[in-house]
Amino acid sequence: MFTKFLSFVLLAGLARAATLQRRAVDFYNPAANGGSMLDSVGGGLGEPLNVIISGQSSPDVLTTDGVVNWARAVGYSEECFGLHSGDPQTANLGDGNGSTDQLVELRQDYHNTGVGTCWESIVGGNHFRVWKQNGTAANSGALFLAASKEKPVTDHHTIVDDGYDVGRNELVQNALGTKSHGGVTYSTTARNVTGLLAAGATGVNHGIAQDGIVTLLTITIV
């Protein structure tokens, strides 16, 4: 009886290890399973998912609360008083979940996590939306981000010229290195990935061309 029990425990452990190993990837390409590296804003247009937080990042980062705390550490916060105008955007990450709403939208907070995003809503700035790749068909745990820089409210928050590339680059620049918030310290590294996102303006919201580069961030809690 003990031998059978031990065999069961060993097999369960091996199965769990195999599951963990399958998830130990940076991300899965959404296009490989019917998804897209453009989210959807309607009318057949979308914004580029131009930053990915690797599935090999610290697990506590790869949650909604975790990415919000990390965002605060690198200069972004929740929307002004939690208010959002317009419908949430959707994305299909090719993980079997189909099109899902964004988990959260985070805005540049101008060094004030309390009300800084209210200022961003007025004068414009950088912001990003977040989705998680966690369906059974591609369960990497990675977070896919659509980053962009927008104009002031007087210009209806449209995207600035070259705003997708600028938004990505500013987010990455702010994130790199060691940053802390709420008693948690993060170390972030980056590398650029090509071949996921077609360069140009085809299908891109506002007809703004982008360079096709996706930046992969690996975030470790230290």
Side-chain angles (χ1 to χ4, degrees), residues 11 29 38 47 68 72 74 101 103 109-110 140 145 167 188-189:
L11 288 172
N29 184 353
L38 293 176
E47 300 191 344
V68 167
R72 289 171 177 162
V74 302
D101 287 346
L103 295 176
D109 63 20
Y110 292 97
S140 70
L145 281 51
T188 302
T189 61

Side-chain angles (χ1 to χ4, degrees), residues 24-49:
V25 297
D26 289 318
F27 61 90
Y28 295 106
N29 184 353
N33 195 32
S36 174
M37 288 296 293
L38 293 176
D39 71 10
S40 176
V41 302
L45 298 175
E47 300 191 344
L49 302 175

